[in-house]
């Protein structure tokens, strides 16, 4: 007796969860499923999910081969189509099968025949009802499924019909190996697995383009994708749980680049919450908060730079960095516009690198980017991710390196972002004594959770690899190292040894540094670390944190305090300049004059300096010459290169009009020449972290407010710097030199071309073998007021002095 095939039975509870959009594994019920049954309709012996790379009959046919031809394959198709009047499955060979409504918008039926590898759903809705997912009604004209207007919908007397692909016929887009790495917290290219990715599949009914979505939400009971493609109603776009990994995934056909989306998560206590994608690679423009599907089309043109980078050690090369806040350098510029104007300015001034204050997405502009909600998305304020790639590409092709500020120490409490992501603390420590930052009102990452560490380690690699960034300046490292940072007694939890060191954060920093240097040769990581923590730049295999460079905050505070004194008082503060050399070689240092020093009532660098405008700018010229000659790399915040007068504010552009004034233009010319000479003088950078690269000539000339020292490259070629912070010149000043013979002045910040008074040494200086200040030779020089000069042996190649 022949029996009519019936759909595989499903329990009422499963049907209810599907209808309400709360099913954790919807693919196990929806989509095409093959069962092998006996002649009497007995036991199903094989089941498989269909997929773009799978076949719902594969396991069934294997079972038939083993058990005999008397078995029959029954292919059940279940679809979710609330409010539909009818649902028809159309296969690749044109066969059609009606589905019957079962429960709460779930439809089910059996396909004709025993083999199907591709199908579409033809859904008819009653007149006046539009419940189909927006943007998902795409028909295949080759199979006669297109409506008269080519949209995939056809209006008839009894309603209107749309043809859609079924997201529940696809296999997972994440491999078992990827899930294993995610679970272990060792997926170094996590951005290629989680988040939203446009994918293309070929099939009998034509190529399918869609987007796979994946998110880590281990405590969620159900997860949906909501977006502008489904009317922000995710009941028909449920994701499936991929087991113990905590990852949820779904592939949605016909969702492509530019689609806006979020995840809706059912929390353990039964609440639905909406969250932006933690791995989103693009976002809406703030204050809007949705994530955006993106796909890069940028073709890189920096192959020469990247090859040179991989073969170069940045720690022993020149690094003169221009720190930039993109939103206020010149307001209104896009990434692509900045690629023209910023590149031209940096080329003119000669900086080797640009450091961008955080460009990862952040909702509040007043945070300057330091409260990040989109760790994988360049801020959309200035363009899309490819526009940012273009900016980096142009800088590289101009010979300029790119460093970005990176903020793994904390994140904001915005309820639509990372905070309590699946309804409970997930990315943050649950105990506020570890999980909340009292200074900034933010949350602290749970560095002890392997998936959270993986999220951050992969994020560092993402910027270095996907955007060709050359370095990361890691913000607020000190706040990560100490459990009691900005906390009173009783407000923090000691580590397992009873100490204040944050052991989990230390391990994280070591992991991210070791991984970055291993995966991306030629890059540099830089710590903003303000304490005396030992070994910040020591390699991790020697017990250090593994950074390449550390900001020398002590030098910055001491030197700024010194130049803020009136020249007549500087005698009493002489040691504030010399003290930095006591510890200069304990770490690999970078000397910063950063944004933090010219904001929040601190005034601009120009305004810190006493005197009239000429004296202020002369002091800055001398100070920069001292800074550029001091051991360590340099960083100067934007505007300070021309003497920005007003305190910096992120809400307005720099005072570029000051360059119309000769004295300010002279400061810019000084910085440009400093950078030019710096690049061409290995003595100023080759041995930055080695004591053999520096020696005092005279560190004790308090009476004249003058300092002199020598820098030496590895071949022994010297440069001698003399800096006078007194308001008067020193004529016939005897200067000790490391060798006898002719010397020449390659820089004098008092040159008239810079706006100086012209106290220069225009003729070669003859040093005789007359020891002075511990040096074997000496000569007599003119030292300008509030000025600096650099000398090199006259027989060595060096650019001529400016002016």
């Amino acid at each position: 007796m022949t029996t009519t095939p019936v759909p595989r039975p499903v329990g009422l509870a499963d049907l209810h969860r599907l209808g309400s959009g709360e099913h954790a594994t919807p693919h196990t019920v929806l989509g095409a499923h093959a069962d092998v049954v006996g002649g009497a309709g007995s036991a199903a012996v094989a089941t498989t999910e269909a997929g773009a790379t799978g076949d719902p009959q594969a396991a069934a046919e294997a079972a038939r081969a083993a058990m005999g031809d008397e078995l029959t394959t029954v292919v059940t198709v279940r679809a979710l189509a609330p409010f539909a009047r009818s649902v028809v499955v159309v296969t690749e060979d044109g066969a059609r099968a009606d589905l019957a409504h079962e429960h709460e918008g779930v439809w089910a039926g059996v396909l004709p025949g025993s083999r199907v590898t591709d199908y579409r759903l033809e859904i008819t809705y009653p007149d006046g009802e539009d419940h189909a997912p927006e943007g998902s009604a795409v028909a295949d004209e080759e199979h006669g499924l297109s409506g008269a207007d080519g949209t995939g919908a056809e209006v008839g007397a009894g309603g209107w019909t749309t043809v859609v692909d079924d997201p529940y016929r696809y296999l997972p887009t994440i491999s078992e190996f990827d899930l294993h790495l995610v679970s272990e917290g060792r997926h170094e290219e996590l951005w290629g697995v989680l988040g939203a990715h446009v994918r293309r599949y070929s099939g009998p009914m034509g190529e399918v383009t869609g987007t796979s979505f994946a998110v880590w939400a281990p405590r969620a009971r159900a997860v949906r994708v909501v977006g502008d493609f489904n009317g922000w109603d995710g009941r028909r776009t449920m994701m499936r749980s991929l087991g113990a990994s905590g990852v949820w995934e779904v592939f949605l056909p016909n969702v492509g680049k530019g689609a806006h989306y979020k995840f809706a998560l059912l929390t353990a206590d039964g609440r639905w919450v909406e969250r932006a994608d933690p791995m989103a690679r693009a976002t809406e423009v703030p204050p809007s908060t949705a994530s955006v599907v993106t796909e890069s089309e940028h073709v890189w043109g920096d192959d020469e730079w990247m090859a040179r980078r991989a073969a170069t050690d940045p720690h022993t090369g020149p690094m003169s960095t221009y720190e930039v806040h993109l939103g206020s350098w010149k307001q209104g510029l896009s990434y692509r516009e900045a690629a023209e104007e910023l590149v031209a300015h940096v080329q003119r001034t000669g900086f080797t690198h640009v450091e961008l204050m955080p460009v990862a997405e952040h909702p509040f502009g007043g945070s300057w980017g330091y409260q990040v909600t989109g760790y994988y998305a360049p801020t959309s304020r200035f363009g899309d991710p490819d526009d940012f790639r273009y900016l980096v590409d142009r800088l590289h092709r101009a010979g300029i390196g790119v460093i970005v500020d990176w903020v793994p120490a904390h994140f904001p409490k915005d309820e639509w972002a990372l905070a309590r992501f699946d309804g409970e603390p997930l990315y943050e420590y649950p105990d506020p004594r570890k999980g909340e930052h009292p200074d900034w009102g933010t949350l602290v990452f749970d560095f002890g959770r392997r998936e959270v560490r993986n999220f951050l380690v992969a994020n560092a690699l993402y910027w270095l690899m996907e955007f060709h960034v050359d370095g990361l300046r890691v913000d607020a490292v000190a706040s990560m190292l100490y459990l009691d940072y900005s906390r009173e007694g009783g407000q923090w939890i000691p580590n397992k040894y009873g100490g204040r060191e944050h052991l989990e954060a230390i391990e994280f920093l070591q992991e991210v540094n070791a991984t970055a240097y291993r995966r991306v040769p030629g890059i540099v990581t830089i710590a903003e670390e303000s304490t005396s923590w030992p070994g910040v730049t020591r390699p991790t295999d020697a017990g250090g944190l593994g950074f390449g460079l550390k900001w020398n905050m002590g030098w910055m505070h001491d030197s700024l305090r010194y130049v803020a004194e009136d020249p007549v008082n500087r005698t009493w503060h002489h040691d504030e300049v010399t003290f930095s050399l006591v510890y200069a070689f304990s770490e690999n240092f970078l000397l910063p004059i950063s944004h933090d020093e010219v904001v929040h009532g601190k005034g601009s660098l120009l305004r810190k300096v006493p005197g009239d405008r000429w004296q202020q700018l002369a002091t800055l010229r001398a100070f920069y010459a001292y800074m550029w000659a001091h051991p360590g790399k340099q960083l100067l915040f934007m505007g300070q290169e021309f003497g920005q007068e007003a305190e910096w504010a992120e809400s307005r552009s720099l005072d570029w009009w000051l360059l119309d004034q000769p004295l300010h233009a002279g400061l810019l010319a000084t910085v440009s020449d400093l950078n030019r000479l710096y690049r061409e003088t290995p003595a100023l950078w080759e041995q930055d972290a080695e004591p053999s690269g520096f020696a005092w000539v005279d560190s004790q000339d308090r009476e004249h407010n003058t300092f002199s020292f020598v820098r030496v490259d590895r071949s022994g070629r010297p440069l001698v710097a003399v800096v006078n912070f007194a308001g008067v010149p020193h004529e016939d000043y005897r200067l000790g030199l490391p060798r006898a013979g002719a010397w020449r002045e390659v820089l004098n910040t008092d040159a008239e071309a810079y706006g100086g008074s012209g106290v220069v040494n225009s003729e070669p200086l003859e040093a005789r073998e007359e020891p002075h200040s511990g040096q074997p030779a000496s000569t007599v020089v003119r030292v300008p007021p509030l000025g600096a000069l650099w000398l090199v042996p006259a027989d060595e190649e060096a650019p001529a002095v400016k002016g």
Side-chain angles (χ1 to χ4, degrees):
M1 182 179 68
T2 302
T3 59
T4 302
V6 295
R8 179 201 296 182
V10 174
L12 186 60
D14 270 326
L15 293 174
H16 176 72
R17 284 194 292 270
L18 289 173
S20 61
E22 299 179 5
H23 207 292
T25 55
H27 296 70
T28 61
V29 181
L30 299 175
H33 298 269
D35 299 301
V36 176
V37 298
S42 61
V45 296
T47 302
T48 183
E49 297 178 16
T53 58
D55 185 330
Q57 284 73 46
E61 291 179 354
R64 181 186 298 106
M67 301 184 67
D69 291 337
E70 71 276 8
L71 299 179
T72 301
T73 300
V74 175
V75 179
T76 298
V77 175
R78 274 191 173 81
L80 191 58
F83 310 109
R85 196 185 71 183
S86 67
V87 179
V88 178
V89 176
V90 183
T91 67
E92 67 266 27
D93 58 5
R96 301 167 63 86
D98 293 328
L99 305 187
H101 184 259
E102 283 188 311
H103 184 76
E104 296 184 9
V106 179
W107 297 70
V110 176
L111 288 177
S114 61
R115 184 168 191 85
V116 58
T117 58
D118 203 354
Y119 67 88
R120 299 292 183 271
L121 300 173
E122 184 181 288
I123 304 174
T124 299
Y125 292 94
D127 282 335
E129 307 240 16
D130 181 3
H131 300 289
E134 295 181 21
S136 63
V138 178
D140 188 337
E141 294 185 11
E142 292 183 7
H143 297 277
L145 303 181
S146 177
D149 59 359
T151 63
E154 183 174 313
V155 180
W160 65 276
T161 299
T162 183
V163 178
V164 300
D165 200 350
D166 185 359
Y168 299 104
R169 73 182 183 89
Y170 290 86
L171 291 172
T173 55
I174 305 177
S175 71
E176 290 294 330
F177 181 65
D178 284 324
L179 290 175
H180 170 74
L181 293 177
V182 171
S183 297
E184 292 293 313
R186 295 293 179 185
H187 206 303
E188 294 178 357
E189 297 185 23
L190 189 65
W191 66 90
V193 176
L194 301 184
H197 295 273
V198 176
R199 302 182 188 272
R200 294 167 179 82
Y201 298 117
S202 297
M205 299 182 76
E207 182 178 86
V208 174
T209 298
T211 299
S212 65
F213 297 88
V215 63
W216 177 63
R219 287 188 294 255
R221 288 167 44 187
V223 183
R224 307 166 176 168
V225 184
V226 299
D228 53 10
F229 43 83
N230 61 14
W232 299 93
D233 181 350
R235 287 175 294 175
R236 284 166 289 185
T237 48
M238 293 171 285
M239 305 177 76
R240 63 177 139 207
S241 169
L242 297 180
S245 67
V247 174
W248 299 73
E249 181 273 349
V250 71
F251 173 77
L252 299 183
N254 305 309
V255 174
K257 181 178 180 180
H260 294 193
Y261 71 99
K262 285 187 177 181
F263 294 118
L265 302 96
L266 181 61
T267 66
D269 59 1
R271 294 176 297 113
W272 281 101
V273 295
E274 285 191 5
R275 300 287 189 261
D277 183 358
M279 303 292 297
R281 291 172 294 129
T283 69
E284 286 186 295
V285 179
S288 298
T289 59
S291 303
V292 177
V293 177
T294 188
E295 184 178 33
S296 179
E297 298 173 0
H298 180 75
V299 179
W300 288 95
D302 64 348
D303 292 351
E304 182 179 343
W305 172 275
M306 296 296 283
R308 185 167 62 249
R309 181 181 87 176
T312 303
D313 181 1
H315 310 91
T316 57
M319 182 178 291
S320 170
T321 303
Y322 185 56
E323 186 187 23
V324 174
H325 178 262
L326 278 174
S328 59
W329 185 74
K330 287 186 178 179
Q331 277 195 313
L333 295 185
S334 67
Y335 288 127
R336 290 183 179 268
E337 291 165 339
E340 306 308 318
E341 296 198 35
L342 180 61
V343 166
H345 181 69
V346 176
Q347 284 184 306
R348 174 187 178 189
T349 50
F351 288 94
T352 67
H353 290 72
V354 166
E355 179 180 313
L356 301 175
M357 291 168 66
V359 292
E361 193 59 89
H362 50 282
F364 176 49
S367 77
W368 313 332
Y370 291 100
Q371 295 202 7
V372 179
T373 50
Y375 275 82
Y376 285 79
T379 178
S380 56
R381 290 170 173 84
F382 315 121
D384 64 26
D386 271 358
D387 294 332
F388 180 68
R389 287 182 174 91
Y390 179 81
L391 170 60
V392 176
D393 203 350
R394 285 283 289 111
L395 285 162
H396 281 175
R397 284 184 278 155
I400 301 163
V402 181
I403 300 167
V404 297
D405 277 14
W406 187 53
V407 193
H410 63 119
F411 60 94
K413 295 180 179 180
D414 299 74
E415 63 180 10
W416 51 268
L418 293 178
R420 300 181 66 86
F421 184 76
D422 58 2
E424 300 175 41
L426 182 64
Y427 285 89
E428 68 269 36
Y429 285 105
D431 191 321
R433 292 174 295 173
K434 287 182 73 174
E436 294 197 17
H437 199 293
D439 284 354
W440 304 315
T442 52
L443 300 173
V444 178
F445 281 105
D446 185 346
F447 301 111
R449 186 159 193 162
R450 59 181 180 270
E451 297 95 341
V452 175
R453 284 203 314 272
N454 193 171
F455 172 82
L456 292 170
V457 172
N459 185 243
L461 294 178
Y462 176 71
W463 290 98
L464 297 169
M465 295 170 66
E466 288 292 314
F467 293 103
H468 292 198
V469 164
D470 305 294
L472 301 174
R473 177 267 195 185
V474 183
D475 181 63
V477 171
S479 74
M480 301 170 68
L481 295 175
Y482 301 97
L483 292 163
D484 63 345
Y485 186 89
S486 290
R487 299 178 190 273
E488 302 295 332
Q491 296 180 343
W492 59 282
I493 305 172
N495 64 35
K496 61 184 179 181
Y497 303 111
R500 60 195 285 256
E501 298 81 10
H502 197 327
L503 302 180
E504 293 167 342
I506 293 166
E507 291 174 357
F508 160 70
L509 290 170
Q510 291 174 323
E511 180 180 353
V512 73
N513 282 318
T515 305
Y517 278 104
R518 172 175 54 83
R519 289 294 306 271
V520 196
I523 56 90
V524 62
T525 61
I526 306 168
E528 186 217 10
E529 205 286 306
S530 55
T531 75
S532 58
W533 185 278
V536 172
T537 58
R538 187 185 307 145
T540 56
D541 57 9
L545 296 182
F547 284 96
L549 298 170
K550 172 182 173 175
W551 273 25
N552 193 334
M553 312 288 277
W555 171 87
M556 179 183 69
H557 293 308
D558 288 346
S559 59
L560 291 182
R561 189 162 53 242
Y562 177 84
V563 297
E565 292 288 340
D566 190 278
V568 299
N569 296 326
R570 287 174 182 162
T571 295
W572 312 107
H573 297 270
H574 197 80
D575 292 343
E576 290 177 358
V577 175
T578 60
F579 181 66
S580 62
L581 271 300
V582 172
Y583 59 88
F585 308 107
S586 61
E587 300 275 7
N588 301 334
F589 280 120
L590 179 148
L591 312 180
I593 300 296
S594 74
H595 64 277
D596 277 330
E597 304 313 306
V598 295
V599 75
H600 293 327
K602 296 179 182 178
S604 66
L605 194 55
L606 181 81
R607 289 290 184 90
K608 296 179 190 293
V609 178
D612 59 25
R613 183 52 50 91
W614 186 93
Q615 292 169 323
Q616 289 175 321
L617 290 167
T619 301
L620 290 187
R621 294 195 302 268
F623 177 71
Y624 293 162
Y626 153 71
M627 175 181 173
W628 259 247
H630 190 289
K633 315 304 182 186
Q634 300 86 36
L635 177 139
L636 193 66
F637 183 56
M638 64 182 197
Q640 312 317 306
E641 75 275 22
F642 60 80
Q644 168 84 9
E645 183 174 12
E647 181 177 88
W648 173 62
E650 83 283 346
S651 59
R652 62 182 184 84
S653 299
L654 298 179
D655 296 334
W656 293 102
W657 56 269
L658 287 171
L659 285 172
D660 294 333
Q661 301 181 13
L663 285 177
H664 287 272
L667 180 61
L668 183 68
T670 305
V671 171
S672 300
D673 279 356
L674 284 170
N675 279 325
R676 176 175 55 86
L677 286 163
Y678 172 75
R679 283 174 179 261
E680 298 170 359
T681 309
L684 294 175
W685 41 263
E686 204 169 54
Q687 299 195 92
D688 272 332
E690 299 175 27
S692 58
F694 174 90
W696 282 112
V697 172
D698 191 346
S699 64
Q700 299 301 316
D701 192 0
R702 296 172 180 269
E703 179 183 354
H704 295 99
N705 290 350
T706 299
F707 308 83
S708 54
F709 52 89
V710 59
R711 299 295 308 279
V712 184
D713 67 19
R714 286 179 180 156
S715 67
R717 289 175 297 191
L719 177 144
V720 173
V722 184
V723 188
N724 173 24
F725 286 113
V728 295
H730 305 317
E731 299 288 352
D732 299 324
Y733 186 87
R734 182 156 292 278
L735 175 68
L737 291 170
R739 68 173 73 163
W743 289 70
R744 63 192 180 103
E745 191 176 78
V746 294
L747 175 82
N748 188 316
T749 64
D750 197 47
E752 292 181 359
Y754 300 142
S757 61
V759 178
V760 299
N761 296 277
S762 57
E763 300 296 329
L765 301 165
E766 189 66 30
R768 301 182 182 276
E769 292 182 352
E770 298 176 6
H772 187 76
S773 301
Q775 300 296 318
S778 64
T779 190
V780 174
V781 298
R782 304 180 76 199
V783 182
L786 301 174
L789 53 93
W790 289 356
L791 304 175
V792 299
D795 59 353
E796 295 181 1
E797 292 185 8
V801 63
K802 178 75 175 183

